[in-house]
Amino acid sequence: MTATAQDHDFLTRVLALAQRSRDEGHHPFAAMVVAADGTIISQAMNASSSDRTAHAEMNALRLASQQYGPAELAGATLYANAEPCAMCAGGTYWSGVGRVVYAMSEASLLALTGSDPENPTLSLPCRTVFAAGQRPTEVIGPLREDEARLAHADFWHK
């Protein structure tokens, strides 16, 4: 599958939200869950400085799951400024969200963060996690990696 104009619109919003996350003192990550009709179900920034499991994707998925069940979320898309890590891919799978669109790959993120203890990146592509599931999850990305890197500029290895 290829990205749609709507996908690029929501990625633009997620990239701006990731910058806001950084500006507010958090790690520069953001995510949103969007229904098939384009309605934003949830959006969230990273909060892992207080809870290491509070990645932006998990926060957005928890909010979406409080409102909708897996059957309703099957047509939804998770948008993220970086490829979902193994935990977030698992959360996406268990929430029932059927589609993921992300801007920057896990490999590119690792190149930026290196060995920074604030982001001990798991080198496990989300496609690998989803492939182990019993139902398909569509994945589109990486897209717009250069833009996604901007929120991370000079953030890691302080």
Side-chain angles (χ1 to χ4, degrees):
M1 294 293 292
T2 58
T4 66
Q6 177 174 290
D7 291 334
H8 284 285
D9 178 51
F10 286 115
L11 275 182
T12 298
R13 295 178 191 203
V14 164
L15 293 171
L17 192 59
Q19 183 62 53
R20 181 174 150 210
S21 182
R22 178 188 176 146
D23 293 346
E24 292 183 10
H26 304 289
H27 291 170
F29 298 103
M32 60 177 49
V33 177
V34 178
D37 68 1
T39 302
I40 296 173
I41 295 171
S42 64
Q43 62 181 9
M45 297 182 293
N46 189 284
S48 65
S49 57
S50 59
D51 174 354
R52 300 295 287 174
T53 66
H55 291 189
E57 298 93 334
M58 293 299 291
N59 294 338
L61 290 164
R62 284 184 188 111
L63 289 169
S65 295
Q66 290 169 2
Q67 301 172 61
Y68 301 97
E72 296 163 306
L73 291 173
T77 300
L78 173 73
Y79 292 94
N81 68 307
E83 181 175 357
C85 72
M87 175 181 68
C88 295
T92 302
Y93 178 81
W94 287 110
S95 73
V97 169
R99 188 168 179 265
V100 173
V101 177
Y102 65 89
M104 181 171 43
S105 71
E106 187 74 20
S108 292
L109 178 63
L110 178 58
L112 288 173
T113 63
S115 61
D116 192 308
E118 287 293 310
N119 194 52
T121 302
L122 286 168
S123 186
L124 183 63
C126 70
R127 284 176 174 87
T128 303
V129 175
F130 295 132
Q134 294 182 13
R135 61 177 165 66
T137 303
E138 180 184 350
V139 179
I140 298 175
L143 302 169
R144 299 167 61 178
E145 286 196 285
D146 290 340
E147 288 176 77
R149 285 185 187 95
L150 295 176
H152 294 268
D154 302 319
F155 182 85
W156 306 101
H157 304 289
K158 292 179 185 172

